[in-house]
Amino acid sequence: MTGTLFGVGLGPGAPDLITLRAARLIEKARVIAFPTLAGADSFARAIAADLIAPNAQEIVMDVPMSVERAPAQAAYDKGASEIAAALDAGHDVVCLCEGDPFFYGSFMYLFARLSDRYRVEVVPGVTSITACAARAGMPLAARNERLTVLPGPLPEAELRARIDGAESVVIMKVGRHLAKIRAVIDDLGLTASAVYVERATLPQEVVLPLADAPEKAPYFSMILLTKGADPWL
């Protein structure tokens, strides 16, 4: 009998936003897998640190920071191979994923490599979008409104067109693209409707009107923008 692979969403960062199901799986796990970014400490592991058994085997997937896809894909190939060896030995493997595994989550790359050969269960997590909206006190969509989610690295022209045609917008992965995004939103006359959030739910959390946001933003930052006239009131 081979083991089961669990893709476990950890939420946006605060350990007390880990779901009960995820916490129970992590506490029982004897094999834990998680990504690191370019040799840095793992944010995913840090979120779940208090739940991981001292004797748990840890499979570390070091994902290089690169615009090219090949280096990261090689890291997931290697991680999938190590996870497969543990599963073949009959061990369940709990893979930690920031946020939700299937929403911009790293786990989807392992799922693509292993789900055709092994039993895989996905445990959803609180997404960064819902965490940021909650911390900003900003409802995102009501009734028949559409919510558009955009990645910050999109080209300026595409960002402009998509924001202009949207009703409610979330822009993720702001980071080094903040100046570009800010200029587009300002040019569309929407700055007063936008909120900037970084490191939501963590002690370093920042929530500000976009007009007051800092000049530089970390990767874990987001802009929320709504054009509606409070339809939930």
Side-chain angles (χ1 to χ4, degrees), residues 7-105:
V8 173
L10 301 174
D16 58 355
L17 287 177
I18 296 176
T19 66
L20 290 174
R21 180 178 297 181
R24 288 167 183 153
L25 285 168
I26 297 167
E27 286 175 328
K28 294 189 299 182
R30 291 298 169 262
V31 184
I32 296 278
F34 52 85
T36 62
L37 188 60
D41 292 337
S42 170
F43 181 41
R45 193 193 186 287
I47 297 171
D50 290 344
L51 299 171
I52 298 173
N55 61 342
Q57 174 190 346
E58 299 188 4
I59 297 174
V60 182
M61 295 167 286
D62 187 41
V63 182
M65 290 182 67
S66 170
V67 175
E68 300 297 326
R69 288 179 56 85
Q73 295 303 313
Y76 289 120
D77 286 343
K78 181 175 181 292
S81 177
E82 293 181 32
I83 290 170
L87 295 172
D88 286 336
H91 303 301
D92 292 342
V93 178
V94 172
C95 185
L96 308 178
C97 186
E98 303 148 18
D100 180 90
F102 279 176
F103 187 74
Y104 289 104

Side-chain angles (χ1 to χ4, degrees), residues 147-167:
L147 175 64
T148 300
V149 181
L150 302 174
L154 284 177
E156 183 175 335
E158 185 172 356
L159 269 177
R160 183 185 304 275
R162 288 178 179 263
I163 294 171
D164 191 36
E167 295 170 344

Side-chain angles (χ1 to χ4, degrees), residues 116-192:
D116 62 339
R117 292 181 284 147
Y118 302 96
R119 183 167 177 250
V120 180
E121 293 186 19
V122 177
V123 180
V126 176
T127 68
S128 55
I129 287 179
T130 50
C132 287
R135 298 302 298 158
M138 189 173 180
L140 292 176
R143 293 189 276 197
N144 293 325
E145 281 192 316
R146 296 166 298 168
L147 175 64
T148 300
V149 181
L150 302 174
L154 284 177
E156 183 175 335
E158 185 172 356
L159 269 177
R160 183 185 304 275
R162 288 178 179 263
I163 294 171
D164 191 36
E167 295 170 344
S168 189
V169 183
V170 170
I171 304 172
M172 303 180 63
K173 305 179 184 180
V174 171
R176 60 190 176 89
H177 305 281
L178 176 59
K180 172 189 67 179
I181 299 165
R182 203 175 202 162
V184 168
I185 292 173
D186 190 55
D187 190 55
L188 291 170
L190 296 170
T191 297

